[in-house]
Amino acid sequence: PVEGGACAAVFEVELLKLRAAECIDEAAERLGALSREIWSEPELAYEEHHAHGYDALPGIGHACGHNLIAEVGAAAALGVKGALESLPRLPLPVKVIVLGTPAEEDGGGKIDLIEAGAFKNLDVVFMAHPSQENAAYLPDVAEHDMIVKYYGKASHAAAYPWEGLNALDAAVLAYNNLSALRQQMKPTWRVHGIIKNGGVIPNIIPSYSELIYYFRAPSMKELPVLTKKAEDCFRAAALATGC
């Protein structure tokens, strides 16, 4: 309880916010250098050695701004620390932890941290993420990854094409099936993927193809509905091509 009632409490909170902002501004140069250093050495999932977590995308780098997340996390910790230290006294000891998360782009690093007990005995956890708008809350989505592999039969594409089973055709049909499905998808659903492998050389009918897809929905209840529709699209492509 703060003496002086609600107005005094609000005033004290605003003072703490100002002190937090001051501490962050004082460290702005060092924080910017931290972000640039991580940006200049992008590392892939589970191969983070230079940075404490915060991985990048292959061939692209820090497309999601994980270097900025690192900067914001460190800045928030400095701000909270400065605000707490400005208080005349603390009712209880407070520990502020800055925790880097590995394998966010490919692997689910936070799950690994949870299973390793990194979040035990923590009362409050915050994170930030770059976005196209300012928001105190970003909606979470349920997400499912899927790797689809088609196995066909190789044959010479000019001499004996009828002897082959074209795995690339299966991949293309699957891709098109999902594109057709989009018309019946809910606006909140997201499906995105790539054809990772589509053959070796044009005059050999591809005997193997591979797709990687991500599926997202607002809840775990809706996600299986979406993934079932997608699986039907994949199976239909296999049936049509004999793969």
Side-chain angles (χ1 to χ4, degrees):
V2 178
E3 294 181 5
C7 291
V10 171
F11 180 69
E12 184 176 30
V13 169
E14 293 303 315
L15 287 178
L16 291 173
K17 288 181 181 179
L18 287 173
R19 180 55 192 146
E22 289 172 357
C23 292
I24 293 171
D25 289 340
E26 291 167 3
E29 187 174 337
R30 287 185 295 147
L31 291 165
L34 169 67
S35 175
R36 290 190 295 272
E37 188 174 347
I38 296 175
W39 169 269
S40 66
E41 294 194 34
E43 298 170 303
L44 300 182
Y46 296 117
E47 297 178 17
E48 302 98 327
H49 303 287
H50 178 70
H52 187 72
Y54 305 113
D55 60 320
L57 288 164
I60 298 176
H62 283 287
C64 290
H66 287 178
N67 59 302
L68 300 176
I69 297 174
E71 180 181 3
V72 169
L78 290 174
V80 171
K81 179 176 182 289
L84 291 173
E85 289 177 342
S86 70
L87 292 170
R89 62 183 178 83
L90 286 174
L92 294 171
V94 177
K95 178 186 286 188
V96 179
I97 299 173
V98 181
L99 184 63
T101 303
E104 281 290 277
E105 294 288 5
D106 183 18
K110 286 189 177 65
I111 297 171
D112 295 333
L113 290 177
I114 291 170
E115 293 178 347
F119 295 104
K120 287 182 178 178
N121 301 320
L122 297 182
D123 297 303
V124 180
V125 179
F126 292 102
M127 73 159 289
H129 199 287
S131 178
Q132 291 178 300
E133 61 276 332
N134 291 326
Y137 170 78
L138 293 175
D140 293 327
V141 293
E143 191 262 349
H144 178 67
D145 302 351
M146 193 179 297
I147 298 174
V148 180
K149 300 178 181 181
Y150 290 107
Y151 296 91
K153 180 183 176 183
S155 182
H156 197 285
Y160 303 99
W162 53 86
E163 296 288 343
L165 296 174
N166 197 318
L168 176 58
D169 282 349
V172 171
L173 286 175
Y175 188 96
N176 289 334
N177 288 344
L178 287 168
S179 295
L181 177 64
R182 292 182 190 279
Q183 185 179 5
Q184 274 69 51
M185 287 185 188
K186 292 184 178 181
T188 52
W189 291 357
R190 295 291 181 270
V191 172
H192 39 103
I194 60 168
I195 299 176
K196 185 179 179 181
N197 190 314
V200 179
I201 192 169
N203 66 337
I204 300 297
I205 288 177
S207 61
Y208 174 77
S209 64
E210 181 176 335
L211 303 95
I212 302 177
Y213 264 88
Y214 294 172
F215 302 93
R216 305 176 194 262
S219 68
M220 288 299 293
K221 184 178 180 180
E222 285 189 45
L223 187 59
V225 178
L226 173 58
T227 55
K228 173 62 168 59
K229 291 178 181 292
E231 287 170 359
D232 289 344
C233 290
F234 293 134
R235 290 192 179 96
L239 180 64
T241 58
C243 293

